[in-house]
Amino acid sequence: AQSVTQLGSHVSVSEGALVLLRCNYSSSVPPYLFWYVQYPNQGLQLLLKYTTGATLVKGINGFEAEFKKSETSFHLTKPSAHMSDAAEYFCAVRDNSGYSTLTFGKGTMLLVSP
Amino acid sequence: DAGVTQSPTHLIKTRGQQVTLRCSPKSGHDTVSWYQQALGQGPQFIFQYYEEEERQRGNFPDRFSGHQFPNYSSELNVNALLLGDSALYLCASRDRSSGNTIYFGEGSWLTVV
């Protein structure tokens, strides 16, 4: 069985500061990993994904994440936070079987102050 | 734009009633999955449809059922609604052309009173 742990239900940063959202996963097979963002009262938008290959993945809106197999981590970062980044962020894992089922973490709410 | 459309966007039902939610994936997307997102939680997998068959199911009771039509659109039905069924219901579809990336719709907010 797969699982995802997101450390910190809320993370607060100042505008212009580094954003770091943590995600650790558990999977018995090489995982596919995803970060999604959810703005208030909206669905999920894909930020970035790791499947195979380069372990540093760049996504939309200046976000990136690094897959570290030895640490079973896939932390999300952004060098400089913007007010518009305030949202909830979900890390998810998908196994590499033929099914496309995602297992999500509980989410981290990012708060950005001026 | 995820290309996945869901309806209705909001609805209110009474305990014991039944509800049907609808999802239309973007053309080219085949597999459709449904997720339940309770307030303050991450989405939980309900079930997945491919070629009109349910091929995987999460830990949800039989009150939750679904259907996929030949055009890949899908319905989620919930019978005998409970207060605890109040949640955002998300439909997701798979895009084979982008490495099986999964895209989500905007969701249907269900409130059970």
Side-chain angles (χ1 to χ4, degrees):
Chain A
Q2 301 170 105
S3 65
V4 174
T5 302
Q6 292 184 239
L7 295 176
S9 59
H10 292 79
V11 169
S12 296
V13 300
S14 300
E15 193 172 21
L18 171 71
V19 175
L20 171 61
L21 304 182
R22 299 178 186 273
C23 172
N24 289 88
Y25 70 91
S26 171
S27 177
S28 59
V29 297
Y32 291 179
L33 295 159
F34 304 81
W35 276 98
Y36 285 86
V37 61
Q38 187 174 39
Y39 297 100
N41 300 314
Q42 293 190 23
L44 299 174
Q45 180 182 4
L46 180 66
L47 270 180
L48 49 79
K49 62 179 181 180
Y50 168 79
T51 53
T52 58
T55 56
L56 182 61
V57 180
K58 295 187 184 299
I60 62 172
N61 301 339
F63 284 93
E64 62 182 36
E66 186 172 10
F67 170 59
K68 292 187 176 181
K69 184 178 178 180
S70 61
E71 298 177 6
T72 61
S73 68
F74 190 57
H75 302 331
L76 181 71
T77 60
K78 181 174 180 178
S80 177
H82 192 272
M83 296 295 290
S84 61
D85 295 326
E88 188 147 28
Y89 292 79
F90 292 94
C91 181
V93 62
R94 192 194 101 191
D95 67 34
N96 58 5
S97 70
Y99 303 115
S100 305
T101 303
L102 296 174
T103 300
F104 285 87
K106 292 188 175 183
T108 298
M109 180 67 73
L110 177 65
L111 306 170
V112 183
S113 57
Chain B
D1 179 17
V4 181
T5 59
Q6 294 187 240
S7 64
T9 53
H10 294 81
L11 70 167
I12 300 174
K13 291 286 188 178
T14 303
R15 276 182 301 174
Q17 285 189 316
Q18 179 264 346
V19 67
T20 297
L21 307 178
R22 296 175 176 83
C23 172
S24 294
K26 184 178 178 180
S27 177
H29 294 201
D30 53 9
T31 304
V32 173
S33 300
W34 287 91
Y35 291 79
Q36 180 196 65
Q37 185 180 11
L39 200 61
Q41 300 293 319
Q44 297 285 320
F45 172 70
I46 303 174
F47 44 53
Q48 181 185 92
Y49 278 85
Y50 177 67
E51 294 188 341
E52 304 176 53
E53 300 265 340
E54 181 185 298
R55 67 173 189 173
Q56 198 173 26
R57 187 178 184 92
N59 188 26
F60 278 81
D62 292 344
R63 297 187 297 107
F64 289 77
S65 63
H67 189 77
Q68 186 179 34
F69 300 94
N71 65 353
Y72 302 119
S73 67
S74 177
E75 289 181 349
L76 164 66
N77 300 291
V78 186
N79 295 319
L81 285 166
L82 303 173
L83 295 180
D85 295 331
S86 296
L88 176 66
Y89 289 85
L90 295 162
C91 174
S93 64
R94 180 179 70 174
D95 182 4
R96 286 180 181 263
S97 68
S98 66
N100 292 329
T101 298
I102 299 162
Y103 293 93
F104 285 81
E106 295 286 306
S108 294
W109 285 97
L110 170 65
T111 301
V112 182
V113 297

